[in-house]
Short mmCIF file of all heavy atoms in Angstrom, two decimals:
data_model
loop_
_atom_site.label_atom_id
_atom_site.label_comp_id
_atom_site.label_asym_id
_atom_site.label_seq_id
_atom_site.Cartn_x
_atom_site.Cartn_y
_atom_site.Cartn_z
N HIS A 153 174.88 154.42 166.89
CA HIS A 153 173.55 153.82 166.75
C HIS A 153 173.42 152.38 167.46
O HIS A 153 174.42 151.71 167.43
CB HIS A 153 173.18 153.80 165.32
CG HIS A 153 172.92 155.06 164.63
ND1 HIS A 153 173.90 155.64 163.91
CD2 HIS A 153 171.93 155.90 164.70
CE1 HIS A 153 173.52 156.86 163.43
NE2 HIS A 153 172.32 157.02 163.96
N ILE A 154 172.27 152.12 167.79
CA ILE A 154 172.05 150.70 168.43
C ILE A 154 171.61 149.94 167.21
O ILE A 154 170.63 150.16 166.51
CB ILE A 154 170.77 150.78 169.37
CG1 ILE A 154 171.10 151.81 170.50
CG2 ILE A 154 170.73 149.36 170.00
CD1 ILE A 154 169.96 152.07 171.39
N GLN A 155 172.50 149.05 166.76
CA GLN A 155 172.28 148.28 165.56
C GLN A 155 171.19 147.19 165.87
O GLN A 155 171.03 146.84 167.00
CB GLN A 155 173.50 147.56 165.06
CG GLN A 155 174.60 148.45 164.60
CD GLN A 155 174.17 149.50 163.48
OE1 GLN A 155 173.35 149.15 162.63
NE2 GLN A 155 174.64 150.77 163.60
N PRO A 156 170.56 146.64 164.79
CA PRO A 156 169.47 145.59 165.10
C PRO A 156 170.23 144.49 165.81
O PRO A 156 171.30 143.90 165.45
CB PRO A 156 169.10 145.17 163.59
CG PRO A 156 169.43 146.41 162.80
CD PRO A 156 170.50 147.11 163.35
N GLY A 157 169.51 144.00 166.80
CA GLY A 157 169.93 142.89 167.62
C GLY A 157 170.78 143.33 168.88
O GLY A 157 171.09 142.52 169.77
N GLU A 158 171.26 144.58 168.87
CA GLU A 158 172.11 145.02 169.94
C GLU A 158 171.21 145.52 171.13
O GLU A 158 170.07 145.97 170.85
CB GLU A 158 172.95 146.12 169.49
CG GLU A 158 174.19 145.69 168.59
CD GLU A 158 175.13 146.85 168.26
OE1 GLU A 158 174.72 147.99 168.31
OE2 GLU A 158 176.28 146.45 167.92
N THR A 159 171.88 145.51 172.33
CA THR A 159 171.20 146.08 173.49
C THR A 159 172.11 147.18 174.03
O THR A 159 173.33 146.90 174.27
CB THR A 159 170.83 145.15 174.55
OG1 THR A 159 169.97 144.16 174.01
CG2 THR A 159 170.32 145.80 175.76
N PHE A 160 171.65 148.35 174.19
CA PHE A 160 172.41 149.49 174.81
C PHE A 160 171.81 149.82 176.13
O PHE A 160 170.63 149.37 176.43
CB PHE A 160 172.33 150.83 173.90
CG PHE A 160 173.48 150.72 172.83
CD1 PHE A 160 173.76 149.74 172.13
CD2 PHE A 160 174.16 151.99 172.66
CE1 PHE A 160 174.74 149.73 171.12
CE2 PHE A 160 175.03 152.10 171.66
CZ PHE A 160 175.36 151.05 170.88
N VAL A 161 172.53 150.44 176.87
CA VAL A 161 172.03 150.89 178.22
C VAL A 161 172.15 152.35 178.35
O VAL A 161 173.29 152.93 177.95
CB VAL A 161 172.53 150.09 179.26
CG1 VAL A 161 174.00 150.35 179.55
CG2 VAL A 161 171.79 150.32 180.75
N TYR A 162 171.23 153.04 178.96
CA TYR A 162 171.32 154.42 179.27
C TYR A 162 171.20 154.48 180.95
O TYR A 162 170.41 153.77 181.36
CB TYR A 162 170.14 155.22 178.68
CG TYR A 162 170.19 155.27 177.22
CD1 TYR A 162 169.63 154.20 176.39
CD2 TYR A 162 170.76 156.37 176.43
CE1 TYR A 162 169.57 154.29 175.06
CE2 TYR A 162 170.81 156.39 175.06
CZ TYR A 162 170.15 155.36 174.46
OH TYR A 162 170.11 155.40 172.94
N GLU A 163 171.96 155.33 181.49
CA GLU A 163 171.86 155.37 182.88
C GLU A 163 172.14 156.89 183.26
O GLU A 163 173.11 157.48 182.88
CB GLU A 163 172.95 154.56 183.52
CG GLU A 163 172.77 154.55 185.07
CD GLU A 163 173.55 153.36 185.75
OE1 GLU A 163 173.71 152.31 185.11
OE2 GLU A 163 173.99 153.55 186.83
N PHE A 164 171.25 157.41 184.11
CA PHE A 164 171.43 158.84 184.60
C PHE A 164 170.53 158.95 185.70
O PHE A 164 169.64 158.26 186.10
CB PHE A 164 170.96 159.86 183.48
CG PHE A 164 169.76 159.48 182.61
CD1 PHE A 164 168.56 159.87 183.16
CD2 PHE A 164 169.83 158.69 181.48
CE1 PHE A 164 167.41 159.52 182.33
CE2 PHE A 164 168.60 158.38 180.82
CZ PHE A 164 167.44 158.80 181.27
N VAL A 165 170.81 160.09 186.41
CA VAL A 165 170.01 160.53 187.64
C VAL A 165 168.96 161.53 187.23
O VAL A 165 169.36 162.47 186.50
CB VAL A 165 171.01 161.02 188.70
CG1 VAL A 165 170.22 161.49 189.91
CG2 VAL A 165 171.98 159.99 189.14
N LEU A 166 167.82 161.42 187.69
CA LEU A 166 166.76 162.28 187.41
C LEU A 166 166.85 163.49 188.28
O LEU A 166 166.66 163.37 189.53
CB LEU A 166 165.38 161.55 187.54
CG LEU A 166 165.20 160.27 186.59
CD1 LEU A 166 163.90 159.57 186.90
CD2 LEU A 166 165.33 160.73 185.18
N ARG A 167 167.17 164.70 187.62
CA ARG A 167 167.41 165.80 188.51
C ARG A 167 166.30 166.83 188.31
O ARG A 167 166.50 168.00 188.66
CB ARG A 167 168.75 166.51 188.05
CG ARG A 167 169.81 165.60 187.96
CD ARG A 167 171.26 166.21 187.65
NE ARG A 167 172.24 165.32 187.61
CZ ARG A 167 172.88 164.71 188.75
NH1 ARG A 167 172.47 165.05 189.88
NH2 ARG A 167 173.95 163.89 188.55
N GLN A 168 165.04 166.45 187.96
CA GLN A 168 163.93 167.35 187.74
C GLN A 168 162.67 166.57 187.94
O GLN A 168 162.81 165.26 188.16
CB GLN A 168 163.95 167.76 186.34
CG GLN A 168 163.87 166.69 185.29
CD GLN A 168 164.29 166.98 183.87
OE1 GLN A 168 165.36 166.62 183.47
NE2 GLN A 168 163.54 167.84 183.24
N HIS A 169 161.59 167.11 187.77
CA HIS A 169 160.40 166.42 187.84
C HIS A 169 159.48 167.08 186.78
O HIS A 169 159.73 168.24 186.38
CB HIS A 169 159.63 166.44 189.14
CG HIS A 169 159.30 167.71 189.69
ND1 HIS A 169 158.17 168.34 189.32
CD2 HIS A 169 159.96 168.56 190.53
CE1 HIS A 169 158.12 169.60 189.98
NE2 HIS A 169 159.25 169.65 190.73
N GLY A 170 158.47 166.35 186.38
CA GLY A 170 157.60 166.94 185.37
C GLY A 170 157.19 165.85 184.20
O GLY A 170 157.54 164.73 184.41
N THR A 171 156.48 166.27 183.23
CA THR A 171 155.99 165.43 182.07
C THR A 171 157.01 165.50 180.99
O THR A 171 157.34 166.70 180.45
CB THR A 171 154.67 165.85 181.66
OG1 THR A 171 153.77 165.86 182.75
CG2 THR A 171 154.14 164.96 180.52
N HIS A 172 157.59 164.37 180.56
CA HIS A 172 158.51 164.30 179.47
C HIS A 172 158.29 163.25 178.51
O HIS A 172 157.21 162.47 178.77
CB HIS A 172 159.91 164.09 180.01
CG HIS A 172 160.22 165.17 181.10
ND1 HIS A 172 160.49 166.50 180.83
CD2 HIS A 172 160.19 165.06 182.51
CE1 HIS A 172 160.63 167.13 181.95
NE2 HIS A 172 160.59 166.28 182.95
N MET A 173 158.93 163.12 177.50
CA MET A 173 158.74 162.10 176.49
C MET A 173 159.96 161.42 176.10
O MET A 173 161.14 161.80 176.39
CB MET A 173 158.09 162.75 175.21
CG MET A 173 156.90 163.49 175.56
SD MET A 173 156.13 164.32 174.17
CE MET A 173 157.27 165.64 173.78
N TYR A 174 159.90 160.18 175.38
CA TYR A 174 161.05 159.56 174.88
C TYR A 174 160.69 159.21 173.33
O TYR A 174 159.61 158.88 173.04
CB TYR A 174 161.57 158.39 175.52
CG TYR A 174 160.62 157.28 175.74
CD1 TYR A 174 160.70 156.21 174.76
CD2 TYR A 174 159.65 157.15 176.81
CE1 TYR A 174 159.79 155.05 174.92
CE2 TYR A 174 158.92 156.07 177.02
CZ TYR A 174 159.00 155.00 175.99
OH TYR A 174 158.10 153.89 176.19
N HIS A 175 161.64 159.27 172.42
CA HIS A 175 161.47 158.91 171.14
C HIS A 175 162.77 158.66 170.44
O HIS A 175 163.90 159.10 170.99
CB HIS A 175 160.68 159.97 170.37
CG HIS A 175 161.34 161.38 170.37
ND1 HIS A 175 162.37 161.64 169.41
CD2 HIS A 175 161.22 162.39 171.09
CE1 HIS A 175 162.78 162.87 169.61
NE2 HIS A 175 162.09 163.49 170.54
N PRO A 176 162.84 158.04 169.31
CA PRO A 176 164.15 157.76 168.59
C PRO A 176 164.76 159.03 168.07
O PRO A 176 163.98 159.90 167.79
CB PRO A 176 163.87 156.73 167.55
CG PRO A 176 162.40 156.45 167.72
CD PRO A 176 161.82 157.45 168.51
N HIS A 177 166.11 158.97 167.96
CA HIS A 177 166.74 160.04 167.36
C HIS A 177 167.60 159.55 166.25
O HIS A 177 168.89 159.99 166.14
CB HIS A 177 167.51 161.03 168.34
CG HIS A 177 167.35 162.52 168.19
ND1 HIS A 177 167.72 163.06 167.02
CD2 HIS A 177 166.79 163.43 168.87
CE1 HIS A 177 167.44 164.32 167.12
NE2 HIS A 177 166.83 164.61 168.22
N ALA A 178 167.21 158.62 165.65
CA ALA A 178 167.89 157.93 164.42
C ALA A 178 166.75 157.66 163.44
O ALA A 178 165.73 157.11 163.76
CB ALA A 178 168.44 156.71 164.93
N ASP A 179 167.05 158.02 162.19
CA ASP A 179 166.02 157.93 161.14
C ASP A 179 164.60 158.42 161.81
O ASP A 179 163.70 157.76 161.64
CB ASP A 179 165.84 156.60 160.55
CG ASP A 179 165.05 156.42 159.37
OD1 ASP A 179 164.71 157.55 158.73
OD2 ASP A 179 164.71 155.38 158.98
N GLU A 180 164.71 159.60 162.40
CA GLU A 180 163.67 159.94 163.21
C GLU A 180 162.29 160.13 162.39
O GLU A 180 161.14 159.68 162.86
CB GLU A 180 163.98 161.43 163.88
CG GLU A 180 163.10 161.75 164.90
CD GLU A 180 163.64 163.08 165.54
OE1 GLU A 180 164.81 163.35 165.50
OE2 GLU A 180 162.91 163.76 166.20
N MET A 181 162.37 160.58 161.27
CA MET A 181 161.21 160.81 160.47
C MET A 181 160.42 159.48 160.38
O MET A 181 159.23 159.30 160.51
CB MET A 181 161.48 161.40 159.03
CG MET A 181 160.39 161.77 158.18
SD MET A 181 160.70 162.20 156.59
CE MET A 181 160.99 160.72 155.74
N THR A 182 161.18 158.44 159.98
CA THR A 182 160.54 157.11 159.75
C THR A 182 160.07 156.55 161.01
O THR A 182 158.91 156.10 161.14
CB THR A 182 161.58 156.14 159.12
OG1 THR A 182 161.93 156.78 157.80
CG2 THR A 182 160.88 154.79 158.76
N GLN A 183 160.93 156.53 161.97
CA GLN A 183 160.58 155.78 163.24
C GLN A 183 159.56 156.49 164.03
O GLN A 183 158.68 155.82 164.60
CB GLN A 183 161.94 155.64 164.02
CG GLN A 183 162.97 154.75 163.26
CD GLN A 183 164.10 154.33 164.17
OE1 GLN A 183 164.20 154.55 165.37
NE2 GLN A 183 165.15 153.76 163.47
N MET A 184 159.59 157.73 164.00
CA MET A 184 158.51 158.43 164.73
C MET A 184 157.05 158.36 163.98
O MET A 184 156.08 158.22 164.44
CB MET A 184 158.83 159.87 164.97
CG MET A 184 159.80 160.10 166.05
SD MET A 184 160.16 161.80 166.55
CE MET A 184 158.67 162.30 167.29
N ALA A 185 157.19 158.43 162.58
CA ALA A 185 156.08 158.26 161.78
C ALA A 185 155.42 156.94 161.92
O ALA A 185 154.31 156.67 161.91
CB ALA A 185 156.37 158.45 160.32
N PHE A 186 156.34 155.86 162.35
CA PHE A 186 155.86 154.49 162.62
C PHE A 186 155.28 154.37 163.99
O PHE A 186 154.85 153.28 164.34
CB PHE A 186 156.89 153.51 162.24
CG PHE A 186 157.10 153.30 160.82
CD1 PHE A 186 156.57 154.08 159.92
CD2 PHE A 186 157.86 152.22 160.44
CE1 PHE A 186 156.81 153.75 158.54
CE2 PHE A 186 158.08 151.83 159.12
CZ PHE A 186 157.41 152.73 158.12
N GLY A 187 155.48 155.40 164.81
CA GLY A 187 154.89 155.23 166.19
C GLY A 187 155.75 155.03 167.39
O GLY A 187 155.42 154.71 168.51
N MET A 188 157.03 155.36 167.14
CA MET A 188 158.04 155.12 168.21
C MET A 188 158.01 156.34 169.14
O MET A 188 158.60 157.35 168.71
CB MET A 188 159.44 154.78 167.70
CG MET A 188 159.37 153.44 166.84
SD MET A 188 161.00 152.99 166.44
CE MET A 188 161.58 152.27 168.04
N MET A 189 157.33 156.20 170.33
CA MET A 189 157.36 157.36 171.22
C MET A 189 156.80 156.80 172.58
O MET A 189 156.28 155.72 172.62
CB MET A 189 156.33 158.31 170.72
CG MET A 189 155.09 157.75 170.36
SD MET A 189 153.98 158.96 169.39
CE MET A 189 152.58 157.82 169.08
N GLY A 190 156.99 157.62 173.57
CA GLY A 190 156.40 157.17 174.84
C GLY A 190 156.52 158.33 175.87
O GLY A 190 157.12 159.40 175.60
N MET A 191 155.85 158.24 176.90
CA MET A 191 155.85 159.39 177.99
C MET A 191 156.90 159.01 179.14
O MET A 191 157.01 157.77 179.38
CB MET A 191 154.45 159.60 178.57
CG MET A 191 153.43 159.91 177.64
SD MET A 191 153.54 161.58 177.11
CE MET A 191 152.89 162.62 178.36
N PHE A 192 157.51 159.95 179.56
CA PHE A 192 158.50 159.76 180.69
C PHE A 192 158.12 160.70 181.82
O PHE A 192 158.43 161.91 181.58
CB PHE A 192 159.94 160.06 180.22
CG PHE A 192 161.02 159.41 181.11
CD1 PHE A 192 162.13 158.75 180.50
CD2 PHE A 192 160.99 159.58 182.46
CE1 PHE A 192 163.12 158.23 181.36
CE2 PHE A 192 161.97 159.10 183.28
CZ PHE A 192 163.01 158.28 182.65
N ILE A 193 157.54 160.13 182.85
CA ILE A 193 156.99 161.04 183.92
C ILE A 193 157.86 160.94 185.16
O ILE A 193 158.09 159.86 185.62
CB ILE A 193 155.49 160.74 184.16
CG1 ILE A 193 154.74 161.16 182.91
CG2 ILE A 193 155.00 161.45 185.33
CD1 ILE A 193 153.31 160.51 182.89
N ILE A 194 158.28 162.08 185.58
CA ILE A 194 159.06 162.21 186.78
C ILE A 194 158.28 162.79 187.89
O ILE A 194 157.93 164.03 187.77
CB ILE A 194 160.40 162.87 186.56
CG1 ILE A 194 161.04 162.33 185.28
CG2 ILE A 194 161.35 162.83 187.73
CD1 ILE A 194 162.38 163.16 184.91
N HIS A 195 157.96 162.05 188.88
CA HIS A 195 157.23 162.65 190.07
C HIS A 195 158.18 163.43 190.86
O HIS A 195 159.35 163.09 190.99
CB HIS A 195 156.55 161.51 190.81
CG HIS A 195 155.70 160.73 189.98
ND1 HIS A 195 154.40 161.18 189.56
CD2 HIS A 195 155.58 159.45 189.47
CE1 HIS A 195 153.77 160.36 188.81
NE2 HIS A 195 154.51 159.17 188.70
N PRO A 196 157.67 164.48 191.51
CA PRO A 196 158.51 165.24 192.37
C PRO A 196 158.90 164.50 193.65
O PRO A 196 158.09 163.62 194.25
CB PRO A 196 157.71 166.46 192.70
CG PRO A 196 156.23 166.00 192.48
CD PRO A 196 156.35 165.01 191.38
N LYS A 197 160.11 164.73 194.20
CA LYS A 197 160.55 164.03 195.36
C LYS A 197 159.66 164.39 196.48
O LYS A 197 159.23 163.45 197.27
CB LYS A 197 162.01 164.43 195.67
CG LYS A 197 162.56 163.58 196.73
CD LYS A 197 164.00 164.14 196.96
CE LYS A 197 164.97 163.23 196.24
NZ LYS A 197 166.37 163.60 196.44
N VAL A 198 159.26 165.67 196.50
CA VAL A 198 158.33 166.21 197.53
C VAL A 198 157.03 166.47 196.91
O VAL A 198 156.90 167.41 196.10
CB VAL A 198 158.92 167.37 198.34
CG1 VAL A 198 157.98 167.83 199.35
CG2 VAL A 198 160.23 167.14 198.80
N PRO A 199 156.01 165.54 197.14
CA PRO A 199 154.72 165.82 196.44
C PRO A 199 154.12 167.13 196.86
O PRO A 199 154.36 167.64 198.08
CB PRO A 199 153.95 164.62 196.89
CG PRO A 199 154.82 163.64 197.42
CD PRO A 199 155.93 164.36 197.98
N ARG A 200 153.46 167.71 195.95
CA ARG A 200 152.77 168.97 196.24
C ARG A 200 151.66 168.72 197.27
O ARG A 200 151.20 167.62 197.48
CB ARG A 200 152.15 169.48 194.83
CG ARG A 200 151.21 170.24 194.64
CD ARG A 200 150.97 170.62 193.29
NE ARG A 200 149.59 170.31 193.03
CZ ARG A 200 148.99 170.01 191.92
NH1 ARG A 200 149.73 170.01 190.81
NH2 ARG A 200 147.68 169.77 191.83
N GLU A 201 151.36 169.83 197.92
CA GLU A 201 150.31 169.70 199.05
C GLU A 201 149.09 168.89 198.65
O GLU A 201 148.57 168.14 199.21
CB GLU A 201 149.97 171.14 199.50
CG GLU A 201 149.36 170.99 200.94
CD GLU A 201 149.22 172.41 201.54
OE1 GLU A 201 150.24 173.11 201.49
OE2 GLU A 201 148.20 172.77 202.08
N ARG A 202 148.47 169.33 197.58
CA ARG A 202 147.20 168.77 197.05
C ARG A 202 147.41 168.00 195.68
O ARG A 202 147.40 168.74 194.71
CB ARG A 202 146.06 169.60 197.02
CG ARG A 202 144.72 168.88 196.93
CD ARG A 202 143.65 169.62 196.41
NE ARG A 202 142.52 168.78 195.93
CZ ARG A 202 141.43 169.16 195.29
NH1 ARG A 202 141.32 170.42 194.90
NH2 ARG A 202 140.54 168.32 194.94
N SER A 203 147.87 166.82 195.78
CA SER A 203 148.12 166.08 194.57
C SER A 203 146.64 165.79 193.82
O SER A 203 145.78 165.57 194.49
CB SER A 203 148.77 164.82 194.78
OG SER A 203 150.09 165.09 195.22
N PRO A 204 146.81 165.65 192.49
CA PRO A 204 145.47 165.35 191.84
C PRO A 204 145.00 164.00 192.31
O PRO A 204 145.79 163.14 192.55
CB PRO A 204 145.89 165.42 190.31
CG PRO A 204 147.10 166.16 190.34
CD PRO A 204 147.82 165.99 191.57
N ASP A 205 143.63 163.83 192.23
CA ASP A 205 143.12 162.50 192.52
C ASP A 205 143.35 161.46 191.39
O ASP A 205 143.49 160.31 191.63
CB ASP A 205 141.65 162.58 192.81
CG ASP A 205 141.38 163.62 194.00
OD1 ASP A 205 141.90 163.35 195.06
OD2 ASP A 205 140.75 164.62 193.84
N ARG A 206 143.21 162.04 190.21
CA ARG A 206 143.48 161.12 189.06
C ARG A 206 144.47 161.87 188.08
O ARG A 206 144.31 163.06 187.75
CB ARG A 206 142.09 160.91 188.28
CG ARG A 206 141.25 160.10 189.18
CD ARG A 206 139.82 159.95 188.51
NE ARG A 206 138.92 159.26 189.33
CZ ARG A 206 138.47 157.99 189.20
NH1 ARG A 206 138.89 157.29 188.19
NH2 ARG A 206 137.64 157.35 189.99
#
Side-chain angles (χ1 to χ4, degrees):
Chain A
H153 290 99
I154 308 172
Q155 297 301 326
E158 287 185 337
T159 298
F160 272 43
V161 67
Y162 297 85
E163 185 168 328
F164 44 88
V165 174
L166 302 175
R167 305 184 184 284
Q168 64 196 107
H169 61 83
T171 304
H172 307 286
M173 304 182 287
Y174 64 89
H175 62 80
H177 225 297
D179 190 11
E180 192 173 337
M181 184 184 81
T182 303
Q183 296 189 9
M184 287 184 66
F186 280 14
M188 298 189 74
M189 57 191 168
M191 297 291 273
F192 197 136
I193 292 162
I194 307 171
H195 299 289
K197 185 180 270 181
V198 180
R200 152 174 131 209
E201 195 170 315
R202 192 197 166 193
S203 296
D205 301 299
R206 290 172 187 256

